């Protein structure tokens, strides 16, 4: 499947993003006042304790696990602090009330429709039953709307614990379970596909999410999960300059490390892909704003500046085909 060309400004209108940026900074400032509620953790992917410092941003420390090469924030906010952070976040409130409504139609066409098509494609490729699909962390419900529109599944359920978002999902006519995923199990028959988009990187325990997805699934059911790829182009080139390196992103995995976590949780990894469309453009922007110095990097300067019009899209296509984009998808089958 070819994705429509994606331009960052289409999904993140600049003027809204400026206000959103201010609110995010205020949220992070508050989080840093709670630093005594942060906890040291071993690698949340493979549990190893050996590590070296990788990035430092906003006064937060990110470590590279020397065993599985994932990166993780440690110390990190406790689960209770994280819950409080999202509950009181001015940024998410603005996002829900302003940014998302203003950009929903662009996001629908550029993100959610391709996301729904890709999910159905994966399910077809692996001969899944098309009974129930459950989306964990359904947010605004746009993915669920788009997957319903494809009429591939008999039932689509949005699991969303945040009350305002859950209400938005209900207003769209979706079936909603307004609860954390572990409480959703009681209200569901065994699902055939569980999806979770851009959630796992935010959680105290990524392993818990995968186990909870597993508990929602029928035997041989599929889990389809997306998150940033720490081995992707923009993260590797930009490091802590990358917007992916974020105070809310605690876990930075790559296809192999997340795959091994799937296996530990009783899933067989059946495919991974990196369909991200933004890497080259994000790095180019940092170069144009001089945050990234390309003085001694003639190859990157040629790629991202001098020959950009001719090779930008080709290069991004290469990153996707080579599994080197910074957005990854992993699909697993429950054993
Ligand atoms: Zn590790």
């Amino acid at each position: 499947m070819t994705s429509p060309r994606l331009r960052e400004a289409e999904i993140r209108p600049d003027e809204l993003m400026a206000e959103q940026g201010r609110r995010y900074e205020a949220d992070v400032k508050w989080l840093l006042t709670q630093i005594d509620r942060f906890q040291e953790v071993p690698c949340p992917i493979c549990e190893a304790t050996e590590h070296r410092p990788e990035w430092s941003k906003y006064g937060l420390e990110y470590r590279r696990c020397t065993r599985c090469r994932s990166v993780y924030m440690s110390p990190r906010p406790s689960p209770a602090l994280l819950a409080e952070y999202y509950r009181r976040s001015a940024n998410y409130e603005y996002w829900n009330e302003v940014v998302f409504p203003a950009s929903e139609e662009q996001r629908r066409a550029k993100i959610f429709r391709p996301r729904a098509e890709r999910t159905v494609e994966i399910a077809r490729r692996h001969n899944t039953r098309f009974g129930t699909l459950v989306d964990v962390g359904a947010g605004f419900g746009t993915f669920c709307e788009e997957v319903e529109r494809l009429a591939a599944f008999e039932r689509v359920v949005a699991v969303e614990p945040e009350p305002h978002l859950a209400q938005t999902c209900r207003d769209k006519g979706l079936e909603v379970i307004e609860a954390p995923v572990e409480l959703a199990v009681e209200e569901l028959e065994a699902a055939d596909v569980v999806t979770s988009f851009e959630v796992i990187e935010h959680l105290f325990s990524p392993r818990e999410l995968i186990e909870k997805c597993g508990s929602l699934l029928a035997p041989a059911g599929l889990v389809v999960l997306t998150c940033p790829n720490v081995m992707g182009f923009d993260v590797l080139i930009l490091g802590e300059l990358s917007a992916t390196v974020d105070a809310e992103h605690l876990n930075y995995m790559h296809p192999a490390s997340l795959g091994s976590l799937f296996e530990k949780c009783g899933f067989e990894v059946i495919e991974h892909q990196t369909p991200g469309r933004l890497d080259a453009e994000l790095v180019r922007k940092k170069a144009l704003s001089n945050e990234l110095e390309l003085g001694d990097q003639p190859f990157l300067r040629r790629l991202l500046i001098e020959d950009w019009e001719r090779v930008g899209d080709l290069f991004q296509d290469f990153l996707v085909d080579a599994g080197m984009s910074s957005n990854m998808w992993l699909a697993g089958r429950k054993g």
Side-chain angles (χ1 to χ4, degrees):
M1 190 183 76
T2 50
S3 294
R5 287 283 171 269
L6 188 59
R7 292 286 170 246
E8 199 197 7
E10 292 172 343
I11 52 169
R12 298 170 187 161
D14 286 343
E15 67 278 24
L16 300 183
M17 293 315 284
E19 173 62 14
Q20 193 251 338
R22 283 189 286 276
R23 288 171 177 245
Y24 169 72
E25 277 168 27
D27 284 355
V28 174
K29 203 170 163 190
W30 177 83
L31 186 65
L32 293 172
T33 66
Q34 305 295 311
I35 207 100
D36 57 331
R37 298 165 71 191
F38 279 47
Q39 301 178 359
E40 288 263 348
V41 292
C43 172
I45 314 305
C46 77
E47 292 167 16
T49 53
E50 307 84 35
H51 63 270
R52 57 178 169 74
E54 183 73 11
W55 310 309
S56 176
K57 193 170 182 177
Y58 318 108
L60 301 166
E61 300 299 325
Y62 303 82
R63 298 171 174 176
R64 173 82 61 177
C65 171
T66 50
R67 191 201 283 168
C68 78
R69 301 176 72 205
S70 300
V71 177
Y72 57 100
M73 186 195 292
S74 181
R76 61 176 54 194
S78 68
L81 176 55
L82 278 178
E84 193 177 340
Y85 174 84
Y86 286 108
R87 204 163 48 236
R88 68 184 302 289
S89 162
N91 176 27
Y92 279 85
E93 185 189 20
Y94 186 70
W95 186 264
N96 298 338
E97 289 172 8
V98 181
V99 180
F100 214 110
S103 59
E104 185 176 17
E105 290 317 305
Q106 284 285 2
R107 298 172 71 85
R108 179 187 300 281
K110 297 286 182 174
I111 297 177
F112 294 102
R113 192 163 299 151
R115 188 179 274 180
E117 287 167 355
R118 190 178 299 274
T119 302
V120 170
E121 227 170 62
I122 291 171
R124 289 223 167 95
R125 194 152 49 235
H126 298 285
N127 298 314
T128 313
R129 285 187 63 244
F130 281 85
T132 302
L133 177 143
V134 178
D135 186 34
V136 173
F140 230 66
T142 322
F143 167 76
C144 287
E145 281 187 301
E146 288 303 313
V147 87
E148 273 194 342
R149 195 193 302 263
L150 294 173
F153 289 89
E154 288 165 22
R155 183 183 178 202
V156 174
V157 182
V159 174
E160 177 50 62
E162 202 286 315
H164 299 94
L165 290 171
Q167 186 56 46
T168 303
C169 289
R170 272 192 295 271
D171 292 344
K172 288 177 165 174
L174 297 168
E175 179 181 349
V176 184
I177 299 178
E178 185 182 327
V181 56
E182 61 271 28
L183 301 179
V185 182
E186 296 162 16
E187 295 187 44
L188 283 166
E189 296 295 320
D192 300 301
V193 175
V194 173
T195 54
S196 181
F197 300 101
E198 321 290 304
V199 171
I200 194 167
E201 64 272 26
H202 294 259
L203 303 178
F204 187 85
S205 168
R207 180 172 186 149
E208 249 177 60
L209 175 71
I210 300 172
E211 287 172 346
K212 286 169 183 173
C213 290
S215 68
L216 296 175
L217 279 168
L222 298 192
V223 63
V224 176
L225 203 145
T226 72
C227 62
N229 170 17
V230 73
M231 299 294 188
F233 180 72
D234 87 77
V235 182
L236 284 179
I237 298 290
L238 297 175
E240 64 205 36
L241 278 180
S242 166
T244 297
V245 180
D246 179 311
E248 294 172 5
H249 291 171
L250 311 185
N251 314 302
Y252 301 80
M253 292 133 316
H254 52 86
S257 69
L258 185 57
S260 67
L261 188 55
F262 267 47
E263 286 164 8
K264 274 187 205 160
C265 298
F267 286 94
E268 175 201 356
V269 176
I270 52 174
E271 72 174 81
H272 63 81
Q273 40 177 309
T274 66
R277 300 298 325 171
L278 292 174
D279 302 66
E281 189 196 347
L282 292 170
V283 177
R284 172 178 150 85
K285 275 191 165 176
K286 294 290 186 194
L288 290 174
S289 68
N290 292 318
E291 289 170 86
L292 176 69
E293 181 52 62
L294 292 183
D296 57 351
Q297 307 218 46
F299 177 77
L300 285 182
R301 196 167 61 239
R302 196 171 160 199
L303 181 68
L304 299 170
I305 311 290
E306 293 160 6
D307 289 349
W308 172 252
E309 289 304 321
R310 191 169 61 82
V311 303
D313 284 342
L314 282 173
F315 181 67
Q316 188 65 45
D317 288 342
F318 162 78
L319 292 176
V320 170
D321 291 345
M324 297 172 83
S325 146
S326 292
N327 166 260
M328 69 173 170
W329 286 57
L330 211 70
R333 189 194 307 279
K334 185 178 174 177

